[in-house]
Amino acid sequence: MSPPLPPNYRFARLLASTASSAIVVLGLCGCQTAGMSDITGALGEKTEASRATEPRRDVGFYRDRFQANPKDTDAALQYGKALRAAGQRSQAVAVLEQASIAQPNNKALLGGYGRALVDNGNFQQAFDVLSRAHTPDDPDWRILSAQGTALDQLGRYDEARQYYASALKIAPEEPSVLSNLGLSYVLS
């Protein structure tokens, strides 16, 4: 029986494993494969037209709901989410910015606004907004991970990894955080 591994060695192995997994995932993301719709008799597959109309339908539904009551936090969040899904990232930022101005202490709105800013490529602003979206006494691993993503995009890899480590303390072995951590090592 071999002696137990020191904690630093185990962490290094976890990071190396995560990084190599991220490289494999990146490689697979570049692959193009035929979907199930190419197989005769495939069931439950949506057509391209129906997939394209869902986000537009959601945008219309939540736009009406948001315009009826701009102070409705859930309507603003759902409208922003629908806009992001429809590829209208700058509009999502505008909607969530408007809502967060009206409710500057609403953590959920600030979190949604910060994530929309990351999607839109406004990384420094996203980091700043996300910093206001949680407090040390009420941390959110999703926000910490989004902050790490923003920092990675700003080239601040070591800082980003600290945020991923904090997120993993809250949500150990969370696949999305581990993936972000691995990609951070690949980027650097």
Side-chain angles (χ1 to χ4, degrees), residues 10-158:
R10 284 183 284 184
F11 184 70
R13 281 187 57 190
L14 172 66
L15 291 178
S17 172
T18 302
S20 58
S21 297
I23 291 169
V24 170
V25 168
L26 286 173
L28 291 175
C29 287
C31 297
Q32 293 183 352
T33 57
M36 289 296 291
S37 60
D38 293 344
I39 300 171
T40 306
L43 301 175
E45 193 62 28
K46 296 180 179 181
T47 66
E48 288 299 318
S50 69
R51 269 183 262 170
T53 59
E54 285 179 21
R56 281 184 258 149
R57 184 192 67 220
D58 289 347
V59 166
F61 175 78
Y62 290 114
R63 178 188 56 237
D64 294 344
R65 191 172 151 207
F66 175 72
Q67 288 175 345
N69 183 5
K71 292 187 179 191
D72 181 352
T73 301
D74 186 57
L77 287 169
Q78 293 302 325
Y79 185 29
K81 185 177 177 181
L83 286 166
R84 287 170 57 200
Q88 299 177 30
R89 292 183 175 101
S90 58
Q91 292 89 338
V93 167
V95 164
L96 292 167
E97 179 179 33
Q98 176 187 351
S100 65
I101 288 171
Q103 299 180 54
N105 296 320
N106 186 306
K107 307 284 188 214
L109 277 175
L110 290 171
Y113 178 37
R115 285 189 291 273
L117 286 165
V118 169
D119 284 351
N120 202 42
N122 304 62
F123 302 116
Q124 184 60 56
Q125 186 181 4
F127 180 78
D128 296 340
V129 169
L130 289 166
S131 294
R132 297 185 346 234
H134 71 91
T135 57
D137 57 315
D138 187 23
D140 182 336
W141 68 266
R142 291 170 199 84
I143 291 172
L144 291 166
S145 184
Q147 284 179 289
T149 300
L151 289 169
D152 273 335
Q153 294 302 316
L154 292 168
R156 295 162 54 186
Y157 308 113
D158 291 334

